[in-house]
Amino acid sequence: MNGHSNPTASLVSGRDSGSSITQHGFKITTRKLPILKADPIERMTSQLGIAVPEMIFGDNLFSIEHSASGWGIDFNAFDALNQVDKTGASMLQVAHSKEWQRTREKKHEGITEVVKPFDWSYSTDYKGTDRSKNRTFEPSDKRIPIELLKRPDPIVFFDELTLYEDEMADNGITVLSCKIRVMPSRLLLLCRFFMRLDGVMVRIRDTRIYIEFATGEVIREYLAREEKYEVVRQQKLAMKGRDVPAELREPNNLVDLLPIVDGSLDRVVLK
């Protein structure tokens, strides 16, 4: 994905530029700021063409840059939301959607503006925003080397943040979050979309960015998983004697229970 600019970025001051670390020519930057206020939300809503989630952290950012090659990628709320279906074709057709829509009606001087149909779960297949000048990802069959990540290497930098969150009119949760850990020889970034619509579906979409510093190899892995809510609740949790309410709130406990429905692998070498 290229070219979309975050409409709130110009509001961020120099002192709010975030935390950064440079490892082997890779600059990793994270920025965590408060939830957006009314004016930036209005501008973002106008540019996106859809109502934004209840909690929108439009100034939050994860960024990785390799200045020597001109390669870069970042993760931000605006670009992620810009990939939400805006036609309503992917909208979960359940009674809850009408209830949710009523919570998003805007009232201006007594006139109600009804929200246009769109995917009210804010499901996104966002894989990051490509900021590269001349190096781009290409399809690959090389997977992230999990064994290397299992090594007890020291963590020189770690951070996590939320990009957006919505409780779907108290009928579940939808949240997009990111976390990164940097080791002396490599890094791993995870951007996870988690959606649980009670009585309907559980969905997890993970984008992982793996970088091996010595070789300049970058691997991007995307995996989408989902399953019907009752299948997860009854067959995969209750029958195994697990604490169902607690488990359903924690995506780490659910991810291996959901079948893979989509995926892709990309790779670029910068050295």
Side-chain angles (χ1 to χ4, degrees), residues 23-28 63-73 132-135 211 213 215-216 218 269-271:
Q23 287 284 97
H24 302 273
F26 288 89
K27 182 180 180 182
I28 301 101
S63 171
I64 306 173
E65 301 171 272
H66 187 256
S67 59
S69 66
W71 179 87
I73 191 169
S132 305
K133 296 177 181 177
N134 49 29
R135 304 285 186 94
I211 299 178
F213 296 136
T215 61
V218 183
V269 179
L270 306 176
K271 293 183 179 180

Side-chain angles (χ1 to χ4, degrees), residues 40-180:
I41 286 177
E42 188 171 332
R43 287 195 292 274
M44 181 178 281
T45 300
S46 176
Q47 291 201 19
L48 287 171
I50 60 174
V52 300
E54 289 173 321
M55 299 177 66
I56 177 73
F57 298 89
D59 290 326
N60 284 2
L61 175 77
F62 266 18
S63 171
I64 306 173
E65 301 171 272
H66 187 256
S67 59
S69 66
W71 179 87
I73 191 169
D74 67 51
F75 291 81
N76 65 82
F78 180 84
D79 288 342
L81 288 169
N82 207 34
Q83 291 188 212
V84 170
D85 173 47
K86 301 175 185 178
T87 67
S90 301
M91 185 166 61
L92 296 168
Q93 299 296 332
V94 294
H96 300 317
S97 63
K98 292 182 179 180
E99 180 182 350
W100 179 91
Q101 190 166 350
R102 284 195 294 270
T103 70
R104 291 300 191 276
E105 291 177 346
K106 298 179 180 178
K107 300 186 187 308
H108 299 289
E109 298 178 358
I111 300 174
T112 299
E113 177 187 343
V114 179
V115 176
K116 295 178 182 179
F118 69 97
D119 181 2
W120 67 297
S121 74
Y122 295 105
S123 294
T124 181
D125 59 357
Y126 183 53
K127 303 177 184 69
T129 303
D130 190 350
R131 303 296 186 190
S132 305
K133 296 177 181 177
N134 49 29
R135 304 285 186 94
T136 58
F137 283 106
E138 295 182 357
S140 171
D141 58 3
K142 185 171 183 180
R143 308 194 72 85
I144 292 173
I146 300 300
E147 291 305 314
L148 290 179
L149 293 170
K150 290 180 178 179
R151 293 180 178 179
D153 296 331
I155 296 176
V156 298
F157 183 81
F158 174 86
D159 209 348
E160 56 187 339
L161 55 78
T162 299
L163 294 177
Y164 62 77
E165 184 173 340
D166 195 287
E167 294 186 349
M168 306 173 78
D170 294 324
N171 290 296
I173 186 73
T174 183
V175 58
L176 182 68
S177 60
C178 296
K179 62 181 178 180
I180 190 170

Side-chain angles (χ1 to χ4, degrees), residues 187-220:
L187 73 75
L188 181 69
L189 181 151
L190 169 64
C191 182
R192 168 168 286 174
F193 172 79
F194 170 54
M195 186 273 290
R196 188 198 75 243
L197 180 55
D198 295 338
V200 181
M201 183 179 291
V202 179
R203 176 179 287 161
I204 295 177
R205 295 175 176 176
D206 286 342
T207 296
R208 287 178 171 85
I209 302 291
Y210 170 87
I211 299 178
E212 187 71 26
F213 296 136
T215 61
E217 181 179 40
V218 183
I219 300 174
R220 177 171 63 183

